Amino acid sequence: MSRVGKKPIPVLSGARIELKDNLLEVEGPRGKLSLSLHPLIKVRQENGHVWVERLSEEKNVRAFHGLTRSLINNLIIGVTQGFKKELEVVGIGYNAKMEGKKLLLQVGYSHPVYYEAPEGVSLSVRKERNFIITVEGIDKQKVGEAAAEIRRIRPPEPYKGKGIRYLGEHIRLKAGKKGAKA
């Protein structure tokens, strides 16, 4: 039995769950998300909790058991609280700002780089010590992928640590050249 799969999922206040055939729809104050379920995975709701059960002991069905539970939990959290990732732009002369719905990055290239967020994801920029880019949305996968795409524009380099990194991410710096000893 999957340890993750057999845990009940609490339905947070404000979330409404509807099950139609193999389609699970979750609606909350922030929006609506849906998930297509595997035919051998059964989902039931009782006493303010959602339970995920499998109808077979095949290896691939056992693998879907915990995955389905995690996906449903992420849907419920997403429509009630939402997800947020923050990135930090580090480097002299590097900056980020919003131009309409596009993110404008100047990160050491000869040209500015524009990034347009996918649907359902919002971007914002604030200036503290460095520029902080906030990626928010209700779909955990879309938020994580958008943050990874922004980081991929200029990943942190290993000598000075300049680039775009997740807020709080530790970059191990390499030692530079060392003088010859005679």
Side-chain angles (χ1 to χ4, degrees):
M1 193 73 175
S2 168
R3 288 185 191 178
V4 172
K6 65 183 176 183
K7 289 170 62 177
I9 307 165
V11 179
L12 302 174
S13 63
R16 191 177 57 79
I17 296 176
E18 192 174 321
L19 186 63
K20 300 175 189 169
D21 297 327
N22 280 350
L23 185 72
L24 181 82
E25 292 182 344
V26 181
E27 192 172 351
R30 290 181 155 249
K32 184 176 184 178
L33 293 171
S34 62
L35 173 69
S36 180
L37 300 171
H38 190 278
L40 294 176
I41 298 291
K42 181 184 168 201
V43 175
R44 64 183 165 85
Q45 182 180 4
E46 59 183 50
N47 300 342
H49 287 77
V50 174
W51 298 84
V52 179
E53 299 166 347
R54 60 179 183 247
L55 303 176
S56 170
E57 290 298 320
E58 294 178 30
K59 187 174 183 175
N60 65 339
V61 177
R62 289 197 320 259
F64 276 115
H65 188 204
L67 171 70
T68 304
R69 190 249 180 231
S70 294
L71 292 174
I72 294 170
N73 190 42
N74 289 341
L75 294 180
I76 293 171
I77 292 171
V79 298
T80 55
Q81 300 167 359
F83 292 99
K84 177 167 102 171
K85 292 243 184 205
E86 293 184 319
L87 298 131
E88 182 178 20
V89 181
V90 178
I92 295 174
Y94 287 14
N95 69 35
K97 62 183 172 186
M98 294 300 296
E99 284 191 358
K101 293 193 175 202
K102 289 185 179 178
L103 175 67
L104 170 65
L105 295 165
Q106 293 174 330
V107 286
Y109 295 120
S110 61
H111 58 283
V113 179
Y114 289 92
Y115 178 78
E116 191 167 349
E119 193 172 318
V121 175
S122 65
L123 300 174
S124 63
V125 178
R126 70 181 192 274
K127 172 82 169 115
E128 290 177 2
R129 199 181 85 194
N130 294 315
F131 288 92
I132 307 294
I133 303 167
T134 304
V135 183
E136 291 182 288
I138 62 173
D139 190 339
K140 187 175 186 177
Q141 193 272 330
K142 283 184 181 178
V143 169
E145 185 60 33
E149 286 173 359
I150 293 170
R151 186 181 185 275
R152 241 178 265 134
I153 292 170
R154 177 64 95 175
E157 54 95 14
Y159 294 101
K160 292 184 180 177
K162 295 178 3 177
I164 302 172
R165 64 176 81 170
Y166 294 109
L167 192 64
E169 179 182 3
H170 177 71
I171 306 297
R172 288 185 54 191
L173 299 180
K174 293 182 178 179
K177 290 182 181 178
K178 294 197 176 178
K181 293 183 180 177

